[in-house]
């Protein structure tokens, strides 16, 4: 039998009572129980923490995500400019051709020419974002039911 060495622990009363109950269940003394649990813990637990990824890999991933975000923002800005630019260009062109136009005249021009611009937007969205069944428009992801298609 190897020589033993005393070791001291200071559990709370609640911990001690729980350990004593468990030691009794196993037919062990408290000291034997603590030794057994420490050894069992050492076999199942490695205190070293190995990161899943290195700092370099994480920086690369972060940079890739930042680049992707920047591209998405640029694309959104471009699309917003196209959307707003169409209306702005219509107003600018009208005012250039009609200097001194009133608000009401500009508004009426926008109303009168809206169908042409709407047709251009609908044509651009056709297939990618919207589908046409007869004279009705549906989101491209929506599965049109036979009854809906027949009604159109």
């Amino acid at each position: 039998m190897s020589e033993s060495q005393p070791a001291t622990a200071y559990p709370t009363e609640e911990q001690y009572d729980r350990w004593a109950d468990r030691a009794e269940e196993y037919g062990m003394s408290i000291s034997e129980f603590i030794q057994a649990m420490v050894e069992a813990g050492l076999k199942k637990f490695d205190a070293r923490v190995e990161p899943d990824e290195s700092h370099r890999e994480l920086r690369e991933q972060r940079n890739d995500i930042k680049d992707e975000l920047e591209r998405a923002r640029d694309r959104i800005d471009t699309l917003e400019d196209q959307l707003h630019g169409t209306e702005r260009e219509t107003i600018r062109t009208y005012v250039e051709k009609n200097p001194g136009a009133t608000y009401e005249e500009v508004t009426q021009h926008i109303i009168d020419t809206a169908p042409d611009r709407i047709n251009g937007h609908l044509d651009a969205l056709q297939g990618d974002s919207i589908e046409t069944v007869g004279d009705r428009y549906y989101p491209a992801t929506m599965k049109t039911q036979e009854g809906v298609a027949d009604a159109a």
Side-chain angles (χ1 to χ4, degrees):
M1 180 178 213
S2 61
E3 240 179 88
S4 61
Q5 177 70 36
T8 306
Y10 297 95
T12 64
E13 285 185 39
E14 183 182 302
Q15 285 176 313
Y16 186 87
D17 292 342
R18 194 172 59 243
W19 295 356
D21 290 344
R22 192 61 67 89
E24 188 176 320
E25 288 175 21
Y26 293 142
M28 302 173 147
S29 70
I30 252 310
S31 181
E32 291 172 322
F33 176 78
I34 291 171
Q35 288 174 7
M37 291 301 108
V38 167
E39 287 299 320
L42 289 173
K43 290 178 182 173
K44 294 181 183 178
F45 177 74
D46 185 356
R48 291 177 292 144
V49 176
E50 298 290 330
D52 292 338
E53 296 164 340
S54 71
H55 291 293
R56 182 185 53 78
E57 290 170 321
L58 291 173
R59 273 193 298 279
E60 287 175 2
Q61 289 176 9
R62 181 203 59 204
N63 291 340
D64 289 346
I65 290 169
K66 284 172 71 176
D67 291 344
E68 185 177 333
L69 175 62
E70 190 60 35
R71 284 191 303 273
R73 285 181 176 158
D74 289 344
R75 178 73 175 138
I76 289 168
D77 288 344
T78 299
L79 292 172
E80 286 178 346
D81 288 346
Q82 288 174 354
L83 175 65
H84 298 300
T86 301
E87 296 305 310
R88 287 181 191 143
E89 184 61 26
T90 300
I91 293 169
R92 188 186 63 74
T93 303
Y94 179 77
V95 171
E96 282 179 355
K97 291 181 180 177
N98 301 282
T102 65
Y103 176 83
E104 289 76 17
E105 291 170 335
V106 172
T107 302
Q108 190 59 50
H109 175 72
I110 296 299
I111 292 169
D112 293 342
T113 59
D116 293 336
R117 290 189 310 283
I118 291 172
N119 286 337
H121 292 305
L122 288 173
D123 288 345
L125 292 169
Q126 193 88 23
D128 290 334
S129 300
I130 60 174
E131 296 175 353
T132 307
V133 178
D135 62 350
R136 298 182 182 265
Y137 298 96
Y138 298 93
T141 57
M142 179 182 229
K143 302 266 192 260
T144 55
Q145 299 171 349
E146 194 171 320
V148 173
D150 291 343

